[in-house]
Amino acid sequence: MYISGTGSRARDVVFAPRLQALLRDHRGEEVFRLDSGTVGVAGAVLADRILAARPAAEDERPTFKPLHGRSIPRAEASTVMRAIGRDVRAALKKPLPEGVDLTGEWPHVGHVFLRDLVLGADPYRLRILMDRALELTPKLTWTVIAAGAALPGRLRPGADVSAIAGLTAEAGSYGDRRYAMGLYRRAAAPVCFTVSTLVANALWLGSPFAEEVPNRNILHEAMRLLPPSWNVLRKASPEYPALDSRIGAADDVLILPLLSHRDPALWEDPEEFRPERWDELDPEYHPGYLPFGHVSERCWGRHMVMPLAEMLLDMLRGDDLTVSPEQTAARVPLAGLMGVSEVRIVRR
């Protein structure tokens, strides 16, 4: 169990055993061996050098790694991201729906709200791909995609749907429809997953917030303590042993923002939730701070995540919502997206 200090609102963050072991055994270390073929790196300087040494290979890219054995060219990835970016910008310009009830279990409540806000006009066969239950296994995801691609009646070009859904209209064959639906899931779902999880993390770690604290500071501090991408994998490469002799020629390297974000050499009171620290710190260049990856290859989605998260957090703060005082512990499961689960949000 890890205690997140929030003054009189102290709440427990219960990390999965593997995550807790990393925090217990390796916080403050630069390099350490995780297993016979993997070296962990948490030192800010070495992590920076490793991530700058070469671009990520296609199977190291989280969103655009090969899809069901089919490579995704960078030009196509760029087209997809521009489409979902247009959808997010359009959603941010809409008048917010009145009477929205955001109480309940988070991050689920936030995810459903964002799905409907950004992709509400899309057909059911696409919107079902946003269901968080599909995260359970890749097999379940592909079963739903395969069923949707086989259904009669497909989108026509120019249909009144989201821009990213419109990309699926060009898919003629069953194989192309399945691929297009897979891309829809890969690009759209992480935006809603990440934003709702980030806001849930912020609420758990620090709510209720002082009125003068900016949303952006709150979100950066939440990403520090619970980084959305808590690890960055780089497969064995000849550049890495040349950077540090502790890395072998056959070693994969796991960069660990989970640890560098709490390194006492980089942060004052590293275990404390202190949004005010970001009044003085630059989140783009602060050593060891990698919520959206390295400066050489930032996550394309960060320009969507932050505005949506600020908007959603503003709604919650304006409606005077906070964590139920009856809940004192929340679990952080071992998953690709780090976040608290089953947080009960109520009106004060």
Side-chain angles (χ1 to χ4, degrees), residues 9-335:
R9 302 179 298 279
R11 303 180 183 118
D12 295 345
V13 178
V14 185
F15 284 100
R18 182 182 172 190
L19 299 172
Q20 183 59 48
L22 285 169
L23 288 165
R24 181 189 65 238
D25 299 337
H26 300 296
R27 191 169 69 93
E29 291 187 45
E30 181 185 39
V31 182
F32 45 90
R33 184 157 293 278
L34 289 167
D35 57 44
S36 60
T38 309
V39 169
V41 173
V45 174
L46 182 57
D48 179 77
R49 295 174 67 193
I50 287 171
L51 293 172
R54 65 166 174 82
E58 68 169 5
D59 58 348
E60 296 168 340
R61 293 151 54 194
T63 301
F64 294 110
K65 60 188 175 185
L67 181 59
H68 219 55
R70 179 169 167 178
S71 291
I72 304 172
R74 286 189 177 269
E76 184 173 18
S78 179
T79 297
V80 170
M81 292 305 293
R82 286 198 300 270
I84 187 64
R86 289 197 297 274
D87 294 328
V88 168
R89 289 191 295 273
L92 289 168
K93 292 177 182 176
K94 294 177 184 176
L96 291 174
E98 296 182 3
V100 175
D101 183 6
L102 294 175
T103 62
E105 186 180 290
W106 277 69
H108 176 73
V109 168
H111 172 73
V112 172
F113 171 77
L114 291 169
R115 178 201 66 192
D116 294 343
L117 180 71
V118 180
L119 305 164
D122 293 352
Y124 180 73
R125 74 176 71 187
L126 293 177
R127 292 203 315 130
I128 195 176
L129 299 178
M130 302 293 290
D131 196 310
R132 294 184 72 96
L134 299 187
E135 292 183 291
L136 295 175
T137 67
K139 184 176 181 180
L140 178 60
T141 302
W142 277 102
T143 298
V144 174
I145 288 173
L151 289 173
R154 61 186 181 88
L155 280 179
R156 300 297 177 187
D160 185 19
V161 293
S162 68
I164 194 168
L167 297 180
T168 69
E170 304 297 331
S173 69
Y174 167 74
D176 286 345
R177 287 197 299 276
R178 191 173 67 162
Y179 175 76
M181 291 176 68
L183 275 180
Y184 179 98
R185 159 79 183 181
R186 282 271 192 91
V191 173
C192 297
F193 290 165
T194 302
V195 171
S196 57
T197 298
L198 172 54
V199 173
N201 291 346
L203 292 168
W204 181 259
L205 291 167
S207 68
F209 307 106
E211 186 175 346
E212 68 275 10
V213 180
N215 287 331
R216 184 156 291 246
N217 283 14
I218 292 168
L219 294 169
H220 279 303
E221 185 68 347
M223 288 189 291
R224 186 184 69 81
L225 286 169
L226 292 172
S229 296
W230 63 272
N231 71 85
V232 180
L233 176 66
R234 287 293 181 265
K235 295 190 174 178
S237 190
E239 293 90 348
Y240 304 150
L243 294 176
D244 193 290
S245 60
R246 291 167 289 185
I247 303 173
D251 284 335
D252 294 336
V253 176
L254 197 66
I255 309 293
L256 289 160
L258 172 66
L259 300 182
S260 65
H261 285 197
R262 298 166 182 269
D263 188 339
L266 301 174
W267 310 93
E268 183 179 348
D269 297 325
E271 305 293 353
E272 294 293 320
F273 182 81
R274 291 178 49 189
E276 64 274 12
R277 75 174 80 236
W278 296 101
D279 289 339
E280 306 296 333
L281 302 180
D282 185 345
E284 288 293 314
Y285 299 105
H286 188 78
Y289 188 61
L290 301 169
F292 295 113
H294 187 255
V295 65
S296 66
E297 201 163 10
R298 291 277 195 242
C299 170
W300 291 354
R302 72 188 191 281
H303 296 305
M304 293 174 267
V305 166
M306 289 302 289
L308 278 175
E310 289 188 69
M311 177 270 294
L312 189 53
L313 186 55
D314 207 45
M315 291 178 66
L316 289 155
R317 295 178 74 180
D319 210 15
D320 210 17
L321 300 184
T322 188
V323 176
S324 168
E326 297 179 0
Q327 184 177 4
T328 59
R331 295 180 303 106
V332 175
L334 183 63

